[in-house]
Amino acid sequence: MSAVGQGLADQLRAELARQGIAVDDDDLAAVVKIVEASRAGLERARSAVGGGPPVPHGFVPPAPPATVRAPRAGR
Amino acid sequence: MDRDLAYCSLVDLGRLLDERQVSPVDIVRAVLDRVDRYNDRLASYITVCGDAALAEARAAEQEIGRTRRRRGRLHGLPIAHKDVSLTRGVRTTAHSRCLLEYVPDRDAAHVRRLSEAGMILLGKTNTTEFACGTMDLFGVHRNPWDLGRYAGGSSGGSANALAAGLAVAATGSDTGGSIRVPASFCGIVGLKPTYGRVSRNGLLPLSWSMDHVGPMARTVADCALLLNAMAGHDPDDPTSARAAVPDFTDGLEAGIRGTVLGVPRQHFYEGLDPDVDAALRGALRQLESLGARLEPVDLPLAPHVVGPGGILIMAEAYGLHAADLRQRAADYGTRTRRRILSGACYTSAEYEEAVRIRVAWTRQIVAALEQVDAVVTPTLPHPAFPVETQLAGPPDTSWGTRHFNMSGHPALTVPCGFTAAGLPVGMQLAGRYFDEASLFRIAHAYELATSWHTRRPALEAAAA
């Protein structure tokens, strides 16, 4: 397994453990393959719609201001 | 009409019953006889309700004799349900060790509706575990056209039973193509209706937003008859639609002169097995010769739908199975467990992005269907593959079908040819929301003009 794959495997093992599920190495390796393939598919779809699919109801968060001022204290 | 009752269409069997040429008992016996002979080799059924089916058939015979009429056009005819549909008093395993002893105390809505229409439960058909994984317990459903090949999943038991004369009608479920893929591999007709058209109440769920229930049969008219009984609003399924239900057999004979059929420019006709490509090209010419007009349609997102769809299915499946996986993961088959566990690993941002791609795709296909009456595609890019391939790690067979689970549009597969090796090829028709009637009309016109649906696999020769 590549370093990236190993990193993902460690991450997924920890996530599954957090959810109360213990997995052996074979299961984990198979899950990593599935998740990598799905994420690659999602990435291709993201590229196909030009950097990210539109939000269904059209809401686009406003861009953050160029400079962020510290919040002023109240009176 | 086929002389073998087990191969007659529902329409023909109904006529024979109306004319008192046969009784429901004759029909059930004819089908059970083939189940006895071939089920071991085909693994079509997980549970066969032989005695109960014969008892139901006798009761139907008496009722028809007493009242001098059938309750409706399905009365006295047998049906097989995929083993993910709840059946009262009959075990429902989903081909899983987790449910080996599970005997429901109620019927799924579609089972109940077909039963109320007078259909006789013949048995529960084989499926991949929970409609998504392994087939460790009851065998792998095999393709009657070549027993070394896979029948397709996940409703493969329903499909191979129909193709081999071990059923005259069946139901299946379809989350990414699980009705259409085995129907195509086995050379029969299968419909995934519009999302909401048929209640999923009592269907063991895999993915709430992608699951559908639909009819499977050997002819288009038979599928239409079955949908008549299955469709309709159900207050017990919150996703069930309040759409009017027409008689889907009305207008079947209206032909397709002037019908506009969309042929996608992207994805669906790329990388096809040469025999599949030839069969589809031939089918398109046939549709044109029947008076349809072919129009190219642009669906640029089509190549990118399957991956995000997989994230939605497995994330939702994990949600349903999480508690059991914590407590009894070892009871799941290996592939089932691994696939469902993958659903635990996507972030909510990834799920949301997959939903957005679903919406963008749906907008594309809706726009295309404003220009054409239906879209025509191959159901799969290749014919049925060997059982060994299925066991080792199969290709993703939802290549051309998951698109319409994502969008919710109705989609039907109809046989459109055979490969040089004698394996069936299916043509998929996808139409507008709640317009299953147009799909039936187009497919029926095509079916009447061709003879693919009349071919029978040579099981006797294979058995010799």
Side-chain angles (χ1 to χ4, degrees):
Chain A
M1 197 178 283
S2 69
V4 175
Q6 188 57 53
L8 180 60
D10 292 342
Q11 204 182 83
L12 297 188
R13 190 193 294 278
E15 175 58 29
L16 289 166
R18 191 186 65 77
Q19 296 189 43
I21 294 170
V23 285
D24 64 25
D25 290 345
D26 289 343
D27 274 6
L28 188 65
V31 169
V32 166
K33 270 177 81 172
I34 296 168
V35 171
E36 280 181 331
S38 296
R39 285 182 173 161
L42 193 61
E43 175 59 38
R44 285 193 296 275
R46 187 184 300 135
S47 303
V49 292
V55 180
H57 46 72
F59 172 72
V60 180
T67 54
V68 182
R69 292 190 199 136
R72 288 193 300 179
R75 287 174 43 162
Chain B
M1 186 188 302
D2 205 299
R3 282 177 302 169
D4 185 344
L5 289 181
Y7 266 121
C8 276
S9 69
L10 295 178
V11 172
D12 285 341
L13 289 172
R15 196 173 302 131
L16 291 172
L17 285 174
D18 286 339
E19 293 168 356
R20 306 289 191 272
Q21 292 192 44
V22 298
S23 78
V25 175
D26 297 330
I27 296 168
V28 168
R29 279 212 176 106
V31 180
L32 284 176
D33 177 54
R34 290 186 69 84
V35 173
D36 279 348
R37 282 155 66 192
Y38 299 116
N39 193 45
D40 282 352
R41 248 165 293 159
L42 289 165
S44 301
Y45 285 87
I46 288 176
T47 302
V48 179
C49 306
D51 291 342
L54 281 168
E56 273 192 74
R58 283 189 207 97
E61 187 176 76
Q62 286 168 7
E63 182 183 332
I64 294 166
R66 192 174 62 247
T67 60
R68 313 298 293 169
R69 56 185 277 277
R70 291 196 297 143
R71 256 185 263 166
R73 294 162 76 186
L74 295 172
H75 190 189
L77 299 171
I79 188 158
H81 294 295
K82 182 177 179 179
D83 206 24
V84 291
S85 300
L86 299 192
T87 41
R88 184 162 48 102
V90 177
R91 75 172 173 168
T92 300
T93 70
H95 201 137
S96 179
R97 205 175 297 283
C98 300
L99 296 176
L100 267 186
E101 310 295 330
Y102 176 47
V103 179
D105 59 4
R106 67 184 178 103
D107 283 331
H110 63 282
V111 172
R112 189 185 68 244
R113 284 174 186 250
L114 288 162
S115 172
E116 286 169 356
M119 295 202 87
I120 295 160
L121 174 61
L122 200 71
K124 304 296 294 294
T125 55
N126 205 351
T127 169
T128 54
E129 185 180 15
F130 290 117
C132 82
T134 324
M135 303 190 79
D136 291 341
L137 304 175
F138 302 105
V140 176
H141 37 229
R142 288 173 180 264
N143 198 303
W145 298 94
D146 176 348
L147 292 175
R149 290 180 185 261
Y150 185 50
S154 60
S155 310
S158 292
N160 77 354
L162 284 159
L166 276 59
V168 294
T171 60
S173 66
D174 189 316
T175 305
S178 288
I179 287 174
R180 292 159 286 160
V181 168
S184 176
F185 275 180
C186 292
I188 59 138
V189 183
L191 171 79
K192 180 201 81 65
T194 309
Y195 189 77
R197 174 64 98 181
V198 175
S199 170
R200 290 106 45 92
N201 179 29
L203 176 78
L204 291 173
L206 177 63
S207 161
W208 72 269
S209 76
M210 303 276 269
D211 290 342
H212 297 66
V213 182
M216 302 170 78
R218 284 189 294 263
T219 68
V220 174
D222 283 1
C223 267
L225 260 185
L226 292 168
L227 188 63
N228 275 354
M230 297 169 76
H233 178 66
D234 177 7
D236 292 329
D237 174 358
T239 63
S240 171
R242 290 185 182 276
V245 179
D247 181 342
F248 292 104
T249 62
D250 275 354
L252 269 184
E253 310 290 341
I256 58 171
R257 188 154 299 283
T259 299
V260 185
L261 298 175
V263 181
R265 282 199 174 93
Q266 298 86 2
H267 181 67
F268 291 100
Y269 289 87
E270 295 166 6
L272 302 183
D273 171 281
D275 288 352
V276 172
D277 189 65
L280 260 292
R281 303 287 166 194
L284 291 174
R285 283 194 298 275
Q286 182 74 58
L287 289 164
E288 266 187 316
S289 77
L290 293 168
R293 184 159 58 84
L294 304 183
E295 282 285 332
V297 291
D298 275 312
L299 296 170
L301 266 182
H304 306 293
V305 169
V306 170
I311 290 176
L312 296 176
I313 292 171
M314 288 308 149
E316 292 175 12
Y318 175 72
L320 292 160
H321 286 272
D324 275 347
L325 282 167
R326 279 185 206 107
Q327 288 163 16
R328 52 188 307 192
D331 285 343
Y332 284 74
T334 303
R335 188 181 305 145
T336 317
R337 183 175 66 244
R338 292 171 177 176
R339 289 190 72 195
I340 297 178
L341 278 177
S342 74
C345 302
Y346 302 114
T347 66
S348 55
E350 286 166 335
Y351 183 91
E352 163 67 10
E353 193 165 16
V355 169
R356 290 192 207 177
I357 287 158
R358 178 183 208 166
V359 172
W361 158 250
T362 300
R363 285 179 177 161
Q364 264 181 23
I365 184 68
V366 164
L369 286 166
E370 284 170 3
Q371 309 302 315
V372 299
D373 295 301
V375 168
V376 188
T377 77
T379 308
L380 288 131
H382 50 71
F385 43 76
V387 168
E388 289 72 27
T389 305
Q390 172 62 22
L391 295 173
D396 187 345
T397 50
S398 59
W399 163 92
T401 48
R402 190 176 288 170
H403 300 71
F404 305 105
N405 299 78
M406 291 281 269
S407 69
H409 288 92
L412 170 150
T413 183
V414 61
C416 74
F418 283 80
T419 66
L423 297 169
V425 178
M427 170 173 66
Q428 179 174 241
L429 295 161
R432 296 171 186 153
Y433 291 126
F434 297 103
D435 190 16
E436 289 86 357
S438 288
L439 300 184
F440 287 139
R441 177 175 53 82
I442 298 162
H444 181 69
Y446 176 79
E447 189 181 77
L448 283 183
T450 56
S451 60
W452 310 118
H453 65 290
T454 64
R455 291 199 189 180
R456 303 287 170 250
L459 280 175
E460 282 77 8

